[in-house]
Amino acid sequence: MNNPSSIKSLFVLFEGIDGSGKTTIIDSVNTLLSKEALPVTVLREPTSGRHGQKLRTLLAEKTEPDRALLLDLFITDRLEDVTLNIKPALEKKQIILMDRYYYSTAAYQGRTVIDARKIVEQNQKLAVPEPDMIFFLDITPETAFKRVTERRSSKDIECFEKIERMQHIDEIYRAILPETTRFLNAGLSPEVIAGQAVSMIKDFL
Ligand code: TYD
């Protein structure tokens, strides 16, 4: 690894189904990299901007939101994220730790694998920055479902997180993620997973 002053930008993406522990791992990776004085920016989609907020409201509704509307809003939110956050951070030579990107849109909004591949292509045609590294938090939908049900009320579960839906999303992820994706065993302790991710990130710098 180079010394911190000669560091290049790095765009690191974390993907995974709900309950895979992405957010916890990103927090730990951030802490570990920051301790070494590496310049880290943490970003997430949906963003906290106006489109992201609208998306969170829609996703929290009891009735399933219109798929085309969601797709449209996720892309609008992403384009704004690219302009306001992603490109500026890359220009400032930051290490971006990104919580979800267009592979989430493909896996969650894609009805089939073919459909999901089209969503990936649609995003790539928009010339959004490509991640340098992708981590996938690897967990069975059954285990992820158990984790989610432990932390949320049963009312939420009935509405949003049916196990079949998670299985579908998981299958699409596995079909569309690039071959270079690094699979992290999400069943290990957060410290171990974060340590593995940090060592791979440092090798890449
Ligand atoms: P997120 O805040 O990452 O939830 P969690 O921290 O529980 O993983 O994402 C909120 C939800 O948005 C999540 O269920 C996945 C969904 N989502 C999509 O459906 N499409 C997308 O393009 C993105 C980025 C997220």
Side-chain angles (χ1 to χ4, degrees):
M1 190 184 73
N2 300 320
N3 70 55
S5 60
S6 66
I7 246 140
K8 56 186 182 196
S9 68
L10 193 69
F11 187 8
V12 184
L13 169 63
F14 292 81
E15 291 281 0
I17 58 175
D18 296 282
S20 61
K22 266 181 310 87
T23 310
T24 310
I25 301 306
I26 291 172
D27 279 352
S28 304
V29 170
N30 180 18
T31 306
L32 291 170
L33 292 176
S34 301
K35 262 190 203 156
E36 298 195 29
L38 290 165
V40 183
T41 295
V42 178
L43 298 174
R44 71 192 294 220
E45 291 184 8
T47 67
S48 53
R50 67 200 154 111
H51 305 296
Q53 282 175 27
K54 182 155 188 209
L55 276 161
R56 287 183 197 283
T57 309
L58 280 173
L59 291 170
E61 277 171 8
K62 280 191 184 142
T63 49
E64 206 172 308
D66 179 68
R67 187 184 153 277
L69 170 71
L70 277 186
L71 195 52
D72 225 52
L73 263 176
F74 273 117
I75 290 179
T76 310
D77 188 41
R78 179 156 311 123
L79 290 176
E80 199 170 272
D81 197 23
V82 167
T83 309
L84 296 182
N85 307 313
I86 300 176
K87 282 190 175 164
L90 293 173
E91 276 157 22
K92 282 188 216 141
K93 305 272 185 280
Q94 293 284 300
I95 300 171
I96 299 181
L97 304 180
M98 184 82 200
D99 191 340
R100 298 194 183 280
Y101 202 40
Y102 60 75
Y103 292 100
S104 281
T105 318
Y108 281 78
Q109 275 69 55
R111 282 166 297 206
T112 60
V113 169
I114 293 175
D115 200 28
R117 290 210 170 105
K118 282 191 194 143
I119 296 175
V120 168
E121 278 167 27
Q122 183 188 2
N123 276 268
Q124 288 172 340
K125 274 195 196 134
L126 294 168
V128 294
E130 289 300 312
D132 298 303
M133 294 181 84
I134 303 173
F135 288 110
F136 181 71
L137 273 291
D138 195 355
I139 190 169
T140 65
E142 291 75 12
T143 309
F145 183 73
K146 247 201 235 157
R147 285 189 186 173
V148 170
T149 52
E150 274 160 18
R151 70 176 190 222
R152 296 200 188 155
S153 78
S154 58
K155 204 161 121 241
D156 282 349
I157 297 150
E158 280 159 24
C159 297
F160 307 121
E161 274 147 356
K162 298 253 189 315
I163 195 155
E164 295 83 6
R165 171 99 179 107
M166 283 206 186
Q167 282 164 341
H168 178 74
I169 294 165
D170 183 63
E171 271 169 35
I172 297 189
Y173 261 133
R174 288 172 199 277
I176 61 162
L177 283 168
E179 268 180 26
T180 49
T181 301
R182 287 142 168 100
F183 285 71
L184 296 170
N185 178 352
L188 300 174
S189 76
E191 296 74 34
V192 172
I193 305 168
Q196 290 174 343
V198 165
S199 108
M200 287 187 248
I201 291 170
K202 282 162 66 181
D203 282 349
F204 208 94
L205 285 172

